[in-house]
Amino acid sequence: WFGGELPDMERALYWLDGAIPLAWQLDDAALKGRISGYMNGIMDRQRSDGALGPMDGDESNLDRSRSGDPWSHILATKVMALYHDVTGEQRVFDSLVRYLKYLAASFAREPIFNWGGFRWMETLVAIFYVYERKPAEWLLEFARLVQTQGWDWKESFASDDMAQPTARRGRWHYHKHVVNL
């Protein structure tokens, strides 16, 4: 996300997700400056099709380094909305809109799964953030798309698998992973 060759695609975004509200709540100029540098670096590398972040090969493919999983890109939309919320910078908003359009097209071609399929609802943070500021039907269509592609949490929580306590050792699954819940 910041450039370089490191394979882990989510650590920087997890850090930003926590550091952004911390920096603005504390009004810490040094931390705000560091975050702004990172965010500007991410936006400076936005490609012509709207894509942000690590890519796999050519410009048309997300880096699907976890067997096709777009989870970090979903998290990035949330971070972009959060950063726009604290800065109000038009550049951030415009970059987020282009990125959401890119992801909508990408997810229409190749549905989400694995981590992305279980964390799909976090895309809604950015989708509805943008929609509240600039309503457009494509945003609602994108929200419906990710919902249909993602895990059915309502059904999952109603099932005996979630309602009845069981030993979990050796029976890990995405829908039981605590941060996904």
Side-chain angles (χ1 to χ4, degrees):
W1 290 94
F2 305 150
E5 301 297 321
L6 292 175
D8 192 329
M9 295 184 32
E10 64 190 23
R11 287 184 184 164
L13 298 170
Y14 278 135
W15 183 82
L16 286 167
D17 193 29
I20 292 169
L22 177 66
W24 270 261
Q25 183 66 32
L26 295 176
D27 198 22
D28 184 316
L31 187 53
K32 285 179 179 181
R34 182 176 176 191
I35 291 165
S36 293
Y38 288 142
M39 294 302 296
N40 284 325
I42 290 170
M43 290 182 291
D44 287 347
R45 289 188 287 282
Q46 189 165 34
R47 287 169 286 285
S48 61
D49 63 356
L52 286 170
M55 302 294 282
D56 181 16
D58 68 58
E59 206 170 276
S60 65
N61 296 310
L62 291 172
D63 178 351
R64 302 259 169 153
S65 62
R66 286 192 176 181
S67 301
D69 191 347
W71 159 235
S72 67
H73 295 275
I74 289 171
L75 180 57
T77 65
K78 183 178 151 193
V79 167
M80 295 283 294
L82 181 60
Y83 186 64
H84 178 264
D85 193 47
V86 298
T87 66
E89 294 175 18
Q90 188 64 40
R91 175 185 186 215
V92 180
F93 188 81
D94 294 343
S95 179
L96 174 58
V97 170
R98 287 192 309 275
Y99 190 37
L100 286 172
K101 285 181 180 179
Y102 169 81
L103 291 177
S106 176
F107 293 178
R109 283 190 311 273
E110 187 174 345
I112 57 176
F113 59 95
N114 286 353
W115 292 106
F118 288 88
R119 303 289 288 272
W120 64 268
M121 64 293 216
E122 293 191 61
T123 311
L124 300 179
V125 172
I127 291 171
F128 290 117
Y129 180 85
V130 169
Y131 185 83
E132 287 173 348
R133 286 150 185 81
K134 191 177 178 181
E137 185 60 31
W138 73 268
L139 290 162
L140 300 179
E141 291 169 10
F142 185 29
R144 286 189 280 280
L145 176 69
V146 295
Q147 181 183 14
T148 61
Q149 291 181 358
W151 183 255
D152 185 341
W153 286 104
K154 186 175 180 180
E155 181 180 312
S156 183
F157 277 103
S159 73
D160 284 344
D161 185 45
M162 293 295 274
Q164 300 297 317
T166 59
R168 298 290 186 226
R169 186 173 304 281
R171 295 173 51 196
W172 183 92
H173 192 272
Y174 290 104
H175 78 282
K176 295 177 186 173
H177 184 54
V178 69
V179 296
N180 291 349
L181 297 172

